[in-house]
Structures are given as C-alpha cells and as structure tokens.
Amino acid sequence: RCSPCCRAMNETITLRIRLVEKKVFKKFTLYTKRPVSEARTFISNEIGVDASQYGLFLPPRDEHAGVWFRDDYPLDFYGLMGENEKEMSMIGGGDSPSTVEYVEFKKKYRPVKVSISGGTQFKTVVVDDTKPVC
C-alpha cells in the first residue's frame, strides 16, 4: 500500500521549464493528472505573460521530433521524467540519471514574411507553430 507521501509524489512532477524569451530555466512542480492547459496557465501567471500566446514544447531528442503539448491531454501522457523521478531511480539503485529533462515554454505564434506578386512585395502572416503545415 502506498503512503500519502508516495501518492503525492506520484501525482506531481518537478520539471525544469526553459523560458525561451527570457533565456532562463525555472523549476515548476505540476500535477501530472491535470490538463496541460492548467500547467500552461499556472506557468503564465507565475511569470506574468498571456497564457493564450504560449505553449509547452518538448524539444527534439535523439531520433524523436519535437512535440507541442496538447491542452486537453494530461501531463503524464507525455511520459516525462522530472527531478523527483530521477532522484528515486538513484535511490533505488538504478543507473545514474542523465541531465534532467526539460520542457520549453515559448510563443505559439510567429510572424513569417511571404512573397507575393512575383517577389516584389511581401506580406507578413502569423503562423501557429502548434498546428501542422499543409
């Protein structure tokens, strides 16, 4: 049977979040069973930005492409291993952990200049990076 402390550890994760615009890392303890939208809102409130403009992004690793987190999925869907899990694997005699995994908190939208009229004129279009390009 799991103790209350153990249950609490299983329900939260401490992640290093890279705040892309500020070029810093910050640690956040988040609930794994809650939707990504709540984590995004919590982080936004902590750093004072508009939550609707930002998203959580798992950068590319090894052969895997980067992934934007979907707002309606829980954090545990992404199989993240935060600092608390890495420490437990060390205590349990597992291999020593590599660098602690991090997630980026960055703007979802970016301006792109598009050439029109045979390359003589340009139009700026805002692109949502969380959506696939058709």
Side-chain angles (χ1 to χ4, degrees):
R1 192 166 173 202
C2 198
S3 70
C5 177
C6 177
R7 277 196 301 272
M9 285 187 71
N10 289 335
E11 294 173 1
T12 62
I13 186 170
T14 300
L15 283 178
R16 285 180 60 212
I17 306 288
R18 179 173 177 249
L19 307 173
V20 175
E21 283 188 341
K22 297 184 183 219
K23 299 178 183 167
V24 296
F25 285 90
K26 191 169 179 181
K27 291 180 190 174
F28 290 93
T29 300
L30 305 166
Y31 291 101
T32 59
K33 301 292 182 194
R34 305 301 300 166
V36 168
S37 60
E38 288 185 18
R40 189 172 49 78
T41 301
F42 175 74
I43 295 167
S44 299
N45 290 339
E46 289 292 310
I47 63 172
V49 297
D50 180 7
S52 67
Q53 298 293 312
Y54 289 81
L56 291 170
F57 180 75
L58 184 62
R61 291 193 187 0
D62 304 323
E63 311 86 46
H64 303 287
V67 176
W68 283 96
F69 289 15
R70 286 186 45 166
D71 275 349
D72 54 336
Y73 282 28
L75 277 175
D76 64 357
F77 173 82
Y78 296 97
L80 300 172
M81 185 177 279
E83 289 187 346
N84 34 359
E85 289 84 3
K86 297 264 185 184
E87 289 169 9
M88 291 302 288
S89 70
M90 284 181 66
I91 293 169
D95 296 334
S96 67
S98 58
T99 58
V100 176
E101 193 163 9
Y102 72 92
V103 175
E104 293 182 343
F105 186 74
K106 63 184 193 174
K107 284 195 170 189
K108 299 190 287 184
Y109 308 103
R110 64 183 167 91
V112 175
K113 286 191 176 186
V114 180
S115 171
I116 55 175
S117 300
T120 59
Q121 294 180 352
F122 294 93
K123 179 178 181 181
T124 301
V125 184
V126 176
V127 176
D128 183 346
D129 280 334
T130 66
K131 307 289 184 210
V133 178
C134 297

